[in-house]
Amino acid sequence: MANCKRVLVTGGAGFIGSHLCERLIARGDAVMCLDNLYTGAEANIAHLRDHPAFAFLHQDVCQPTTIEVDRIYNLACPASPVHYQRHPVQTTRTSVLGAINMLDLALAAGARVLQASTSEVYGDPAVHPQPETYWGNVNTIGPRACYDEGKRCAETLFFDYRRQHGLEIRVARIFNTYGPRMQPNDGRVVSNFIVQALRGAPITIYGDGRQTRAFCYVDDMVDGLLRLMETPEPETGPINLGNPVETTMLELAELVIELTGARSKLVHLPSPEDDPRQRMPVIDRARDALGWTPSTPLHTGLERTVAHFDAMLRSGPPVL
Ligand code: UDP
């Protein structure tokens, strides 16, 4: 195909990464998926493994790589607080060394490189909702800092490689994303609530449940990432990608109960340390620069996600 590109997706066996690989292949690109399978899963890419345009590299992004490539999406990093806090030093290493390795690869290969940054760069935000111009409020020594500061440093590296070497970079700040292929036990709120509801177990609300997030369906997120990557220079981001509908955890729990028909009760557990109180993106920049707005309402996206977990729980081994 004339416009076929050689695309590297780090973290390609993860939740967002596997959806991205799928979409790239569907549009005719040749995809190399690099993943160390720490939180990624072979099951996420099982349906792509035999495709002639797909290759899997079982490798850690912390190892330098030499590949001929036109585009790099750097998604590799555990993203759930439960996972990224388990080996915090490795989390920072993955963000920082992974960014350096992918930037060096982009330089050597003449490729454009996109960093999957995060709304966590805003920390527990003192400005609400969050525009890209807000510099954030991160506790540098708290338990979330391994992720937040790792991602902040990666953004710094991206912009310094651009200033110093003229590299073509793109930076997306990804807000809470959900959908099929989230791991049932990854500890995040959407997967926790749905799995608990489907099993009739109590739904665990951390704190008073009045903290907010804005949830974006994975197909919309992938669409935003693809658009950002192909948006011409001089657009670099950082650009917020998220669905600007603010939802409390109590509202989310009610919605999940309604969609599953569960009889689960709500139980309140202590709030995690440094848990951000509120979060919602301003997406004017994505609208203007990318012509992007999320189109999947929370209700619709949750229905699909419930169907995914329902099928998984019926067919698979018990989820611990
Ligand atoms: N949360 C909750 N119950 C759970 C898991 C999470 O109430 O079983 C809360 C958590 O305290 C946070 C919000 O849901 O306020 C989103 O948490 P998640 O780990 O999904 O994402 P992040 O904090 O990284 O946005």
Side-chain angles (χ1 to χ4, degrees):
M1 206 173 284
N3 290 325
C4 163
K5 294 196 172 59
R6 298 162 300 178
V7 186
L8 175 65
V9 180
T10 78
F15 161 50
I16 298 179
S18 63
H19 285 274
L20 178 61
C21 288
E22 212 171 85
R23 288 275 290 279
L24 290 164
I25 286 178
R27 76 175 193 189
D29 289 336
V31 174
M32 284 158 284
C33 161
L34 183 151
D35 204 300
N36 69 354
L37 299 178
Y38 175 62
T39 54
E42 281 185 301
N44 288 343
I45 49 167
H47 60 301
L48 302 175
R49 288 299 281 265
D50 293 332
H51 197 289
F54 182 79
F56 176 61
L57 307 169
H58 188 185
Q59 200 176 310
D60 196 312
V61 76
C62 294
Q63 303 301 320
T65 311
T66 325
I67 321 176
E68 294 295 319
V69 69
D70 307 303
R71 297 279 187 264
I72 304 167
Y73 289 86
N74 187 34
L75 271 59
C77 191
S80 156
V82 174
H83 286 149
Y84 70 63
Q85 290 174 20
R86 189 169 297 150
H87 298 292
V89 175
Q90 189 55 28
T91 298
T92 306
R93 199 193 301 274
T94 300
S95 280
V96 176
L97 264 186
I100 289 174
N101 287 334
M102 289 309 115
L103 288 160
D104 282 340
L105 174 61
L107 214 49
R112 184 181 293 175
V113 57
L114 181 148
Q115 169 67 2
S117 189
T118 168
S119 55
E120 285 281 330
V121 299
Y122 302 122
D124 188 6
V127 169
H128 187 73
Q130 296 80 52
E132 291 87 349
T133 46
Y134 177 49
W135 288 356
N137 177 36
V138 174
N139 172 9
T140 56
I141 57 169
R144 298 178 87 97
C146 58
Y147 185 74
D148 300 8
E149 296 294 355
K151 290 285 189 179
R152 287 170 66 98
C153 184
E155 286 199 9
T156 306
L157 285 161
F158 267 65
F159 281 86
D160 280 336
Y161 268 69
R162 179 174 179 85
R163 279 187 284 263
Q164 208 170 315
H165 303 291
L167 196 66
E168 287 195 14
I169 60 154
R170 303 288 185 272
V171 174
R173 290 185 178 155
I174 297 177
F175 282 65
N176 295 66
T177 304
Y178 70 98
R181 295 199 203 124
M182 294 181 90
Q183 296 299 312
N185 54 359
D186 91 347
R188 274 183 284 200
V189 69
V190 172
S191 43
N192 272 10
F193 284 5
I194 293 177
V195 170
Q196 288 161 350
L198 288 173
R199 298 158 113 199
I203 289 189
T204 53
I205 307 277
Y206 299 164
D208 62 11
R210 293 200 169 83
Q211 69 271 40
T212 64
R213 296 292 187 271
F215 296 100
C216 185
Y217 189 63
V218 64
D219 288 354
D220 288 329
M221 181 55 61
V222 168
D223 190 46
L225 293 171
L226 293 168
R227 281 175 191 243
L228 175 57
M229 179 63 106
E230 297 311 328
T231 296
E233 294 278 312
E235 183 59 74
T236 55
I239 283 200
N240 287 340
L241 294 179
N243 193 351
V245 180
E246 193 174 9
T247 307
T248 68
M249 297 314 104
L250 288 170
E251 288 164 346
L252 180 70
E254 278 168 26
L255 197 49
V256 168
I257 287 173
E258 178 199 319
L259 288 171
T260 53
R263 293 172 178 221
S264 297
K265 298 207 162 33
L266 307 186
V267 292
H268 287 264
L269 297 178
S271 186
E273 199 178 333
D274 291 344
D275 197 18
R277 207 47 219 159
Q278 52 184 5
R279 180 186 293 158
M280 183 174 73
V282 174
I283 61 161
D284 295 356
R285 193 164 169 179
R287 272 201 194 106
D288 296 344
L290 316 181
W292 178 85
T293 43
S295 63
T296 314
L298 184 57
H299 196 278
T300 311
L302 281 179
E303 264 173 357
R304 293 181 199 155
T305 312
V306 166
H308 157 81
F309 279 116
D310 195 28
M312 179 187 258
L313 295 182
R314 281 172 200 278
S315 66
V319 175
L320 301 176

